[in-house]
Amino acid sequence: MTTDNTALIKVRDLKKHYNYGAIKALDGVNIDINKGDVMVVIGPSGSGKSTFLRSLNLLEEPTDGSIVFDGRDIVNEKINLDEFRERMGMVFQHFNLFPHKTILENLTLAPQIVKGKSKEEAEKKALELLDRVGLKDRASAYPVQLSGGQKQRVAIVRALCMDPEVMLFDEPTSALDPEMVGEVLEVMKELAKEGMTMVCVTHEMGFAREVGNRVVFMADGNIIEEGTPEKIFDHPESPRLKDFLGKVLEA
Amino acid sequence: MTISWGNIEKILTYGNMFQQGLIVTVLLALCTVFFGFFLAFGLALMLLSDVRPFRYLEKVKTDDINKKKRNDFIAKFNPVKLIANCYVQFVRCTPMLVQIFLVYYIVFGFITLPKFTFFGFIQFERFFPAAVALALNSGGYMSAVIRGGIEGVDNGQTEAARSLGMSKAQTMYHIILPQAIKNILPAVANEFVTIIKESSICYTIGVQDIMFNVKSVQSATFIIAEPLLMATFLYFCLCFPTSKIIEYVERRMRQSDNR
């Protein structure tokens, strides 16, 4: 493992079993995520994409295997999990904004109570980031007053407010109306351009092709094929991938 | 037996007794819900706790599936939850009357309470055991409500908070409880109404609530029916408006969700 010293996250033989192995959501996943990677994970539903992503910050506890983040095995070592989680931002399919707090409070709560920032400092950064996604004027609104696309942009900003080293996206556009998908993907593209390390589970093949520098195809709890977008989309090798692409691109 | 205006006028001369009974009943219900709520909250946290001394067994790697199942079963053991569960089941599966007698005759049979009256007519040494017994009882019931209210908050909220690096306690305090309180408060208010009615059982240990005064008036005047009607009227006048107010507040709270 000397060759991949630059890898930020090393996933080794990651397994997630239910019912004592009767259901294998993840069945020995191996992958390295390097700094600056924009890794897009695609695959049919039930293939373990989301489970894989949620395992990365241990929202899902793996049955076996290891995840080495910045040199430490977060699965098997006794570590303070909260400290690691704050270094990995996560964006959910259903936004999961805190409905009882305003947008600004949503953004500033964690920096204050987890990172110990002052209120002014947290608000300054939050407003700066909100401005960049074009939502500065909604800072005092409540989540219910926003559209889906706006909510998801806020959710991305909320994760960014913690200065994460990696951003995990769990189907960020799947719960959105079609006309709102663009605005969220735009923000993600911006992020990718700035060199943020991103792992993104998505069904947006256009996004995968355009923004991703690595595309991972998963099926049945395993990585079947991995490579550049050109390789995956234009020269697929495995029959599973060919079959999948046939179905998705046709639609 | 007849019901006559004459009798009603006669028992109305004992009006201040009913008034005192009314105050005792309301005070008893307030104390019960107040202390019962804290007990219930503690119980709910115990029921939701994740204290598992044998958790490490989950991580033990073995190829034998039966051994693995046995390990996982032991790993699930949570003594804190077990204690809370036992308590709740005890409260739910024994009669309230028995619980009150247990507290009054056995627990406070060993502990001697100071004898004094407050508000001029409430006997502390009877009122206190009654409040304790009722609080212990309603705490058991309310714990289920509070646990349900906490569990009713979408799991995504916890995930979002934890993914931002918040600890379990921070997530509970800043994210879950403020949302759960909306589910919990109406149920607690309803518990107040229930306790107003159930506290009538406390006359059996001599707490001078509405029912106790009914008995007193009955034995002083040899009039049986009218004091009972009076008590019915008083209990209804306490409970009906209260439950209407709760309904109204509940409706308003639901509206504020859609702001």
mmCIF file of all heavy atoms in Angstrom, chain B residues 51-67:
data_model
loop_
_atom_site.group_PDB
_atom_site.id
_atom_site.type_symbol
_atom_site.label_atom_id
_atom_site.label_comp_id
_atom_site.label_asym_id
_atom_site.label_seq_id
_atom_site.Cartn_x
_atom_site.Cartn_y
_atom_site.Cartn_z
ATOM 1 N N VAL B 51 -26.916 2.152 26.116
ATOM 2 C CA VAL B 51 -25.893 1.675 27.049
ATOM 3 C C VAL B 51 -25.812 0.161 26.907
ATOM 4 O O VAL B 51 -26.696 -0.560 27.347
ATOM 5 C CB VAL B 51 -26.262 2.038 28.504
ATOM 6 C CG1 VAL B 51 -25.160 1.613 29.452
ATOM 7 C CG2 VAL B 51 -26.538 3.516 28.621
ATOM 8 N N ARG B 52 -24.762 -0.302 26.260
ATOM 9 C CA ARG B 52 -24.662 -1.741 26.044
ATOM 10 C C ARG B 52 -23.289 -2.220 26.477
ATOM 11 O O ARG B 52 -22.314 -2.080 25.744
ATOM 12 C CB ARG B 52 -24.904 -2.075 24.567
ATOM 13 C CG ARG B 52 -26.347 -1.818 24.149
ATOM 14 C CD ARG B 52 -26.597 -2.228 22.732
ATOM 15 N NE ARG B 52 -25.859 -1.404 21.788
ATOM 16 C CZ ARG B 52 -25.514 -1.803 20.577
ATOM 17 N NH1 ARG B 52 -25.826 -2.992 20.163
ATOM 18 N NH2 ARG B 52 -24.851 -0.988 19.789
ATOM 19 N N PRO B 53 -23.219 -2.784 27.675
ATOM 20 C CA PRO B 53 -21.910 -3.174 28.219
ATOM 21 C C PRO B 53 -21.228 -4.271 27.407
ATOM 22 O O PRO B 53 -20.005 -4.381 27.443
ATOM 23 C CB PRO B 53 -22.246 -3.652 29.634
ATOM 24 C CG PRO B 53 -23.712 -3.899 29.639
ATOM 25 C CD PRO B 53 -24.312 -3.007 28.621
ATOM 26 N N PHE B 54 -22.007 -5.068 26.689
ATOM 27 C CA PHE B 54 -21.383 -6.183 25.937
ATOM 28 C C PHE B 54 -21.326 -5.884 24.446
ATOM 29 O O PHE B 54 -21.287 -6.786 23.626
ATOM 30 C CB PHE B 54 -22.133 -7.480 26.192
ATOM 31 C CG PHE B 54 -22.240 -7.818 27.650
ATOM 32 C CD1 PHE B 54 -23.473 -7.829 28.285
ATOM 33 C CD2 PHE B 54 -21.095 -8.080 28.395
ATOM 34 C CE1 PHE B 54 -23.559 -8.119 29.649
ATOM 35 C CE2 PHE B 54 -21.189 -8.364 29.747
ATOM 36 C CZ PHE B 54 -22.422 -8.385 30.369
ATOM 37 N N ARG B 55 -21.327 -4.602 24.118
ATOM 38 C CA ARG B 55 -21.331 -4.190 22.714
ATOM 39 C C ARG B 55 -20.168 -4.799 21.928
ATOM 40 O O ARG B 55 -20.308 -5.124 20.759
ATOM 41 C CB ARG B 55 -21.238 -2.668 22.664
ATOM 42 C CG ARG B 55 -21.201 -2.065 21.280
ATOM 43 C CD ARG B 55 -20.741 -0.637 21.418
ATOM 44 N NE ARG B 55 -21.659 0.059 22.312
ATOM 45 C CZ ARG B 55 -22.488 1.006 21.901
ATOM 46 N NH1 ARG B 55 -22.493 1.376 20.668
ATOM 47 N NH2 ARG B 55 -23.284 1.604 22.753
ATOM 48 N N TYR B 56 -19.019 -4.954 22.617
ATOM 49 C CA TYR B 56 -17.821 -5.441 21.916
ATOM 50 C C TYR B 56 -18.057 -6.812 21.267
ATOM 51 O O TYR B 56 -17.383 -7.172 20.317
ATOM 52 C CB TYR B 56 -16.616 -5.499 22.860
ATOM 53 C CG TYR B 56 -16.761 -6.543 23.953
ATOM 54 C CD1 TYR B 56 -16.294 -7.846 23.755
ATOM 55 C CD2 TYR B 56 -17.364 -6.230 25.166
ATOM 56 C CE1 TYR B 56 -16.447 -8.804 24.732
ATOM 57 C CE2 TYR B 56 -17.521 -7.184 26.158
ATOM 58 C CZ TYR B 56 -17.061 -8.465 25.928
ATOM 59 O OH TYR B 56 -17.217 -9.415 26.890
ATOM 60 N N LEU B 57 -19.041 -7.568 21.787
ATOM 61 C CA LEU B 57 -19.297 -8.900 21.232
ATOM 62 C C LEU B 57 -19.739 -8.839 19.771
ATOM 63 O O LEU B 57 -19.555 -9.781 19.012
ATOM 64 C CB LEU B 57 -20.357 -9.622 22.071
ATOM 65 C CG LEU B 57 -19.863 -10.167 23.407
ATOM 66 C CD1 LEU B 57 -21.024 -10.701 24.219
ATOM 67 C CD2 LEU B 57 -18.823 -11.243 23.198
ATOM 68 N N GLU B 58 -20.362 -7.704 19.401
ATOM 69 C CA GLU B 58 -20.765 -7.527 18.004
ATOM 70 C C GLU B 58 -19.572 -7.613 17.072
ATOM 71 O O GLU B 58 -19.684 -8.067 15.939
ATOM 72 C CB GLU B 58 -21.379 -6.134 17.827
ATOM 73 C CG GLU B 58 -22.879 -6.106 17.899
ATOM 74 C CD GLU B 58 -23.382 -4.688 17.737
ATOM 75 O OE1 GLU B 58 -22.573 -3.756 17.602
ATOM 76 O OE2 GLU B 58 -24.599 -4.531 17.756
ATOM 77 N N LYS B 59 -18.447 -7.117 17.557
ATOM 78 C CA LYS B 59 -17.260 -6.998 16.705
ATOM 79 C C LYS B 59 -16.453 -8.292 16.650
ATOM 80 O O LYS B 59 -15.551 -8.418 15.823
ATOM 81 C CB LYS B 59 -16.362 -5.864 17.236
ATOM 82 C CG LYS B 59 -17.030 -4.517 17.182
ATOM 83 C CD LYS B 59 -16.507 -3.701 16.019
ATOM 84 C CE LYS B 59 -17.226 -2.360 15.949
ATOM 85 N NZ LYS B 59 -16.900 -1.638 14.733
ATOM 86 N N VAL B 60 -16.770 -9.212 17.578
ATOM 87 C CA VAL B 60 -16.015 -10.467 17.585
ATOM 88 C C VAL B 60 -16.267 -11.211 16.282
ATOM 89 O O VAL B 60 -17.407 -11.435 15.881
ATOM 90 C CB VAL B 60 -16.449 -11.344 18.779
ATOM 91 C CG1 VAL B 60 -15.749 -12.699 18.729
ATOM 92 C CG2 VAL B 60 -16.136 -10.650 20.083
ATOM 93 N N LYS B 61 -15.185 -11.559 15.613
ATOM 94 C CA LYS B 61 -15.348 -12.217 14.306
ATOM 95 C C LYS B 61 -15.331 -13.724 14.490
ATOM 96 O O LYS B 61 -14.447 -14.272 15.134
ATOM 97 C CB LYS B 61 -14.221 -11.787 13.372
ATOM 98 C CG LYS B 61 -14.374 -10.323 13.025
ATOM 99 C CD LYS B 61 -13.519 -9.888 11.863
ATOM 100 C CE LYS B 61 -13.892 -8.472 11.481
ATOM 101 N NZ LYS B 61 -12.996 -7.460 12.006
ATOM 102 N N THR B 62 -16.349 -14.358 13.955
ATOM 103 C CA THR B 62 -16.419 -15.802 14.042
ATOM 104 C C THR B 62 -17.159 -16.336 12.816
ATOM 105 O O THR B 62 -18.019 -15.669 12.261
ATOM 106 C CB THR B 62 -17.134 -16.255 15.341
ATOM 107 O OG1 THR B 62 -17.520 -17.609 15.170
ATOM 108 C CG2 THR B 62 -18.354 -15.421 15.631
ATOM 109 N N ASP B 63 -16.800 -17.535 12.414
ATOM 110 C CA ASP B 63 -17.440 -18.113 11.235
ATOM 111 C C ASP B 63 -18.693 -18.898 11.595
ATOM 112 O O ASP B 63 -19.511 -19.210 10.747
ATOM 113 C CB ASP B 63 -16.446 -19.029 10.485
ATOM 114 C CG ASP B 63 -15.378 -18.188 9.810
ATOM 115 O OD1 ASP B 63 -15.697 -17.037 9.425
ATOM 116 O OD2 ASP B 63 -14.245 -18.660 9.681
ATOM 117 N N ASP B 64 -18.814 -19.198 12.892
ATOM 118 C CA ASP B 64 -19.963 -19.970 13.349
ATOM 119 C C ASP B 64 -21.177 -19.053 13.499
ATOM 120 O O ASP B 64 -21.212 -18.173 14.360
ATOM 121 C CB ASP B 64 -19.605 -20.619 14.704
ATOM 122 C CG ASP B 64 -20.748 -21.483 15.212
ATOM 123 O OD1 ASP B 64 -21.823 -21.470 14.570
ATOM 124 O OD2 ASP B 64 -20.554 -22.163 16.235
ATOM 125 N N ILE B 65 -22.182 -19.268 12.650
ATOM 126 C CA ILE B 65 -23.330 -18.345 12.624
ATOM 127 C C ILE B 65 -24.097 -18.356 13.943
ATOM 128 O O ILE B 65 -24.522 -17.330 14.438
ATOM 129 C CB ILE B 65 -24.264 -18.701 11.445
ATOM 130 C CG1 ILE B 65 -23.645 -18.136 10.174
ATOM 131 C CG2 ILE B 65 -25.654 -18.128 11.673
ATOM 132 C CD1 ILE B 65 -24.616 -17.714 9.130
ATOM 133 N N ASN B 66 -24.247 -19.539 14.547
ATOM 134 C CA ASN B 66 -24.988 -19.611 15.800
ATOM 135 C C ASN B 66 -24.280 -18.852 16.906
ATOM 136 O O ASN B 66 -24.911 -18.192 17.724
ATOM 137 C CB ASN B 66 -25.196 -21.077 16.214
ATOM 138 C CG ASN B 66 -26.295 -21.703 15.384
ATOM 139 O OD1 ASN B 66 -27.259 -21.033 15.041
ATOM 140 N ND2 ASN B 66 -26.118 -22.972 15.037
ATOM 141 N N LYS B 67 -22.973 -18.967 16.903
ATOM 142 C CA LYS B 67 -22.201 -18.244 17.915
ATOM 143 C C LYS B 67 -22.339 -16.739 17.679
ATOM 144 O O LYS B 67 -22.484 -15.962 18.624
ATOM 145 C CB LYS B 67 -20.725 -18.663 17.830
ATOM 146 C CG LYS B 67 -19.962 -18.281 19.060
ATOM 147 C CD LYS B 67 -18.571 -18.884 19.067
ATOM 148 C CE LYS B 67 -17.794 -18.327 20.244
ATOM 149 N NZ LYS B 67 -16.375 -18.245 19.980
#
